[in-house]
Amino acid sequence: HRDLHSFPTRRSSDLYGANRIDVPQLEVVEGPSRIDLTAQYDHAPKNLQAGNLEFRVTSSGLNLARIKNLQERRPGLAGTVALSANGSATLNEKGPRVTIHDLNADLSAKGVAAQGKNFGDLTLAAHTNAGRLNFSLDSDLAGAAIHGNGNAQLAGDYPVTAKLTFDKVAWSRLQDLIGRTSGATPGLEALAAGQVTVDGPVLNTNELRASVELTQLQVQGSPLPAARSGQMVIQNQGPIVATLERGVARIQSFHLAGAQTDIQATGSYTLQTQALNANVKANCDLNILQRMSRNFVASGSVVLTADVRGTSAKPLVNGQLELHNASANYTEISNGISNANGSIVFNGSTARVQNLTAEVGGGKLTVGGYAMYTDVLRFGLRANASNVLVRIQQGVSALADVNVQVAGGLETSRVTGTVTIDQITYAPTSDLGSIL
């Protein structure tokens, strides 16, 4: 067999008793690859949910290219992995699910590659000394420089002190590593650098302190073939900082600008009460859509000002979203929207559409109404359109007037109104049966 999940194995004295599961020796061998495991789990009678676990596992020369299940998810992934780990832990029915008493582990991944591209190496180490776990991480996978270290006390609420720094993190290279969903070249690139720090008891968030600081966050889109302005770039204006202290998460500074776009945000979120307090101001150029995907043609702008209060379960939003000459066309949809102008006013749990007009299929469209969210979503919307040309299929189109209302909720709603077809145009080769 050439697949790890079907390696020939040799087991000796695998035992299961009333209070114990014992694996004194388990070997998995295939060519130069080898895994050895011993484990013992002592538990209460007829209860596997709680007990004491001790284990030891070593592996060497694991070839990622020969693991079938991994290749099915990420074809062409290659490299070698080695692992050595031993430790002891308690499984609990209540409170923390796992309590670690001792852990010593070394993990390395060397020569990780896919489709002829070399993505680098990764090493992770964790060792217990006098009841304290010391750990470190070093990685240059996907061209990024990631380094982390810290220590945690294996008692009480697990006090931890840790720091992780990262640089040259690029979305396109991460896509290459994890596998693209399609063979298309990405229309959007994101670059990031910064650090994360954690200090305090992991199991007591009211006393835990943490921070995330992005010294670089840059989003850039591919230049359009006929664009004179070149590449679109949106990047941070000063560090982006978020903190957690005494159970309150805060966005202290968030400012992105560039390409006729400006986004700013501040706010806080209380973990225990789920209380929200945030402010967002954004002015976005819709041209960013066509920089992200060549299937889009977009222009105009969206302006948003919003204050968010309440809780995450029942947010209350006050502010306004405005459309200014907004146009968006997607190549796979026959009708797009152009010259959209109007506003959506937010008042607590209600959003009301005001004076929203646009052009669709050469005709005029007017939309109004409201949406309300309390325990459930309720809405009442109306749309009026005149002289709208709809392409039903290749060579077939219809000219229609529309006057409809939609009311209700997601579970039950009702559509009323009229659609008047004024004219149907079709080529002589059209299939009238499929049209009907």
Side-chain angles (χ1 to χ4, degrees):
H1 299 291
R2 302 178 62 84
D3 307 321
L4 279 181
H5 73 279
S6 58
F7 274 0
T9 62
R10 184 179 72 225
R11 295 180 294 177
S12 61
S13 304
D14 295 354
L15 301 177
Y16 173 69
N19 302 334
R20 171 178 293 183
I21 299 175
D22 192 13
V23 184
Q25 184 180 21
L26 172 63
E27 297 176 350
V28 181
V29 181
E30 196 273 345
S33 301
R34 180 185 182 94
I35 301 175
D36 292 282
L37 169 70
T38 61
Q40 178 178 300
Y41 181 50
D42 295 308
H43 58 88
K46 299 181 180 180
N47 183 8
L48 295 176
Q49 301 299 313
N52 296 313
L53 171 67
E54 294 184 4
F55 70 94
R56 178 182 298 273
V57 59
T58 59
S59 68
S60 61
L62 296 183
N63 188 346
L64 300 180
R66 300 171 72 95
I67 304 178
K68 181 179 179 180
N69 290 337
L70 182 60
Q71 291 301 311
E72 289 177 350
R73 292 169 174 79
R74 182 64 175 93
L77 187 64
T80 58
V81 175
L83 170 66
S84 175
N86 65 80
S88 61
T90 297
L91 275 65
N92 308 296
E93 289 189 86
K94 299 180 179 180
R97 190 69 184 91
V98 179
T99 303
I100 299 174
H101 304 300
D102 182 68
L103 177 63
N104 296 282
D106 291 282
L107 171 68
S108 66
K110 302 292 184 182
V112 178
Q115 309 301 329
K117 295 182 179 180
N118 183 19
F119 291 108
D121 308 324
L122 175 146
T123 60
L124 174 65
H127 296 279
T128 302
N129 183 14
R132 184 172 292 275
L133 180 68
N134 301 294
F135 48 87
S136 63
L137 167 68
D138 291 286
S139 170
D140 61 1
L141 289 178
I146 302 175
H147 306 285
N149 61 78
N151 61 81
Q153 183 176 336
L154 300 181
D157 290 333
Y158 287 84
V160 63
T161 300
K163 181 178 181 180
L164 176 73
T165 63
F166 52 93
D167 192 15
K168 302 176 183 178
V169 178
W171 170 240
S172 62
R173 292 196 290 267
L174 289 175
Q175 275 191 311
D176 288 336
L177 176 60
I178 63 180
R180 297 183 186 275
T181 55
S182 67
T185 301
L188 194 70
E189 173 69 294
L191 305 173
Q195 67 177 26
V196 179
T197 62
V198 179
D199 184 22
V202 174
L203 300 183
N204 185 358
T205 55
N206 289 327
E207 298 297 330
L208 183 66
R209 297 180 301 278
S211 69
V212 178
E213 180 178 347
L214 298 180
T215 55
Q216 179 191 27
L217 179 59
Q218 179 176 303
V219 180
Q220 59 190 43
S222 301
L224 297 175
R228 297 180 180 178
S229 58
Q231 195 174 55
M232 176 208 72
V233 177
I234 300 174
Q235 58 189 2
N236 60 302
Q237 307 298 301
I240 296 174
V241 180
T243 62
L244 172 66
E245 186 169 2
R246 297 188 180 277
V248 179
R250 287 186 173 86
I251 300 176
Q252 294 189 342
S253 61
F254 183 97
H255 188 187
L256 298 176
Q260 299 180 352
T261 295
D262 191 278
I263 304 172
Q264 300 183 52
T266 58
S268 65
Y269 175 71
T270 304
L271 301 182
Q272 187 172 5
T273 63
Q274 299 183 342
L276 288 168
N277 187 344
N279 177 268
V280 179
K281 296 180 180 179
N283 188 336
C284 298
D285 184 356
L286 290 178
N287 185 256
I288 189 176
L289 294 176
Q290 64 188 48
R291 302 303 183 99
M292 294 170 59
S293 172
R294 296 182 185 275
N295 291 326
F296 269 108
V297 177
S299 62
S301 64
V302 176
V303 179
L304 171 67
T305 58
D307 289 312
V308 184
R309 301 292 185 269
T311 66
S312 56
K314 294 183 178 180
L316 301 175
V317 183
N318 291 280
Q320 184 168 281
L321 184 147
E322 301 175 3
L323 297 177
H324 298 282
N325 298 320
S327 298
N329 294 270
Y330 190 66
T331 56
E332 297 184 5
I333 300 177
S334 60
N335 282 43
I337 297 176
S338 59
N339 296 323
N341 290 277
S343 62
I344 301 175
V345 177
F346 303 101
N347 185 8
S349 59
T350 303
R352 189 171 298 277
V353 182
Q354 294 186 343
N355 303 319
L356 181 56
T357 62
E359 296 178 7
V360 178
K364 299 293 184 179
L365 172 68
T366 303
V367 178
Y370 73 94
M372 177 183 296
Y373 181 80
T374 51
D375 293 329
V376 296
L377 178 64
R378 307 288 298 176
F379 50 81
L381 300 171
R382 64 182 183 278
N384 298 313
S386 60
N387 296 319
V388 175
L389 183 65
V390 180
R391 291 179 176 85
I392 301 174
Q393 60 177 239
Q394 185 67 30
V396 182
S397 60
L399 191 66
D401 296 331
V402 178
N403 186 342
V404 296
Q405 298 81 39
V406 183
L410 293 179
E411 296 296 331
T412 58
S413 59
R414 185 178 182 182
V415 181
T416 59
T418 59
V419 176
T420 305
I421 299 176
D422 299 313
Q423 178 180 317
I424 294 179
T425 303
Y426 60 92
T429 57
S430 302
D431 185 350
L432 294 180
S434 66
I435 296 173
L436 296 177

